[in-house]
C-alpha cells in the first residue's frame, strides 16, 4: 500500500441541481439530525458531525492514497482501501477497544466492520480521539498517533494498546454520484 498523503482544499463546484439537493438535504438533516447519536458511558449523548456540505471528487483517488480535505475546520480523511486490506480487518477484532463501534461516533449506516458506506472508501475525521492530535498513516498497519501512541486500523478502529478508547469519528456523508462524495449530509 502506498503511504502517500494527498492534501486538498476539497471540492469541485456544485451544479445548480446539486446545490438544490444540498439545500433540501441540509433542511432535512437539521430536522432529522437528532436521531443519529451515541450514548457515551458518562450518559452524555453526542451526535456525529453534520452540516456545511463539501463535495469531494474521488475519480483521481488511487488505492492506498490518503486524501485530506478541510471540513468545518477539521481534517477529513478519505482513503481508498484494497480488497486485501478490507479482508484483514476481521483479524484485528480481538485487539480492538471497540471493534463493533458501540461507543464510537459514526452514522448508523457506518456501524459495520469497514465503518463505511462503500467498503473500499473510508471517510473519517483525522483527529485522535484521545486529545485531538493528527495520526499518521502507516500503510497496511493503520494509523499511529505520535502524541501518546494510540493506534487505529484502516477502518479507524482503535487498538487497546494506547490511551484512546473510541474509534475515529465518522462524519455524515453520502455519495452524490459514482465519483462524488458529499461530506456533511446523510443520503
Ligand atoms: Fe493521540 Fe493522545 S492525542 S494518543
Amino acid at each position: 500500500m502506498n503511504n502517500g498523503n494527498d492534501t486538498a482544499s476539497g471540492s469541485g463546484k456544485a451544479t445548480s441541481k446539486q446545490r438544490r439537493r444540498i439545500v433540501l438535504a441540509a433542511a432535512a438533516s437539521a430536522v432529522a439530525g437528532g436521531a443519529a447519536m451515541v450514548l457515551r458511558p458518562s450518559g452524555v449523548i453526542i451526535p456525529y458531525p453534520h452540516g456545511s456540505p463539501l463535495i469531494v471528487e474521488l475519480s483521481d483517488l488511487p488505492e492506498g492514497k490518503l486524501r485530506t480535505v478541510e471540513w468545518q475546520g477539521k481534517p477529513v480523511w478519505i482513503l481508498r482501501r484494497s480488497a486485501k486490506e478490507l479482508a484483514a480487518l476481521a483479524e484485528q477484532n480481538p485487539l480492538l477497544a471497540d471493534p463493533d463501534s458501540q461507543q464510537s461516533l459514526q452514522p448508523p449506516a457506518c456501524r459495520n466492520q469497514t465503518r463505511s458506506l462503500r467498503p473500499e472508501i473510508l471517510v473519517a475525521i483525522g483527529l485522535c480521539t484521545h486529545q485531538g492530535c493528527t495520526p499518521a498513516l502507516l500503510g497496511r498497519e493503520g494509523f499511529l498517533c505520535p502524541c501518546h501512541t494510540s493506534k487505529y486500523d484502516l477502518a479507524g478502529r482503535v487498538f487497546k494498546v494506547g490511551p484512546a478508547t473510541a474509534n475515529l469519528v465518522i462524519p455524515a456523508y453520502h455519495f452524490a454520484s459514482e465519483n462524488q462524495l458529499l461530506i456533511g449530509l446523510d443520503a
Side-chain angles (χ1 to χ4, degrees):
M1 168 170 187
N2 187 329
N3 286 1
N5 288 353
D6 176 10
T7 303
S9 58
S11 65
K13 289 214 161 120
T15 64
S16 60
K17 191 175 171 190
Q18 286 169 331
R19 278 195 295 271
R20 194 167 69 240
R21 187 174 175 204
I22 288 168
V23 170
L24 290 172
S29 178
V31 171
M37 299 179 171
V38 70
L39 180 63
R40 283 278 164 80
S42 61
V44 176
I45 296 174
I46 305 171
Y48 62 87
H50 293 77
S52 308
L54 174 69
I55 294 174
V56 181
E57 179 63 34
L58 299 180
S59 58
D60 59 346
L61 183 67
E63 203 170 83
K65 194 79 158 180
L66 180 69
R67 173 163 295 164
T68 303
V69 299
E70 187 180 324
W71 176 73
Q72 294 194 333
K74 298 184 180 71
V76 175
W77 290 341
I78 302 137
L79 176 68
R80 192 184 295 275
R81 299 167 291 193
S82 68
K84 204 168 177 182
E85 289 162 350
L86 293 170
L89 289 176
E91 297 164 17
Q92 319 271 27
N93 286 3
L95 307 174
L96 302 173
D98 187 14
D100 299 322
S101 299
Q102 296 298 318
Q103 301 300 327
S104 301
L105 281 177
Q106 63 274 307
C110 296
R111 187 174 288 148
N112 52 45
Q113 184 147 285
T114 61
R115 301 191 75 227
S116 59
L117 297 180
R118 284 187 194 164
E120 72 276 19
I121 302 289
L122 172 70
V123 180
I125 305 282
L127 296 173
C128 180
T129 59
H130 179 226
Q131 291 181 1
C133 290
T134 302
L137 178 62
L138 298 177
R140 288 201 174 113
E141 292 173 47
F143 303 92
L144 178 67
C145 181
C147 294
H148 315 96
T149 66
S150 285
K151 197 178 162 200
Y152 301 84
D153 72 2
L154 288 178
R157 300 179 301 169
V158 70
F159 286 88
K160 293 172 186 167
V161 291
T165 55
N167 299 336
L168 295 180
V169 174
I170 310 292
Y173 72 91
H174 68 275
F175 292 93
S177 67
E178 177 61 26
N179 281 309
Q180 278 195 329
L181 179 68
L182 202 155
I183 300 170
L185 299 173
D186 294 308

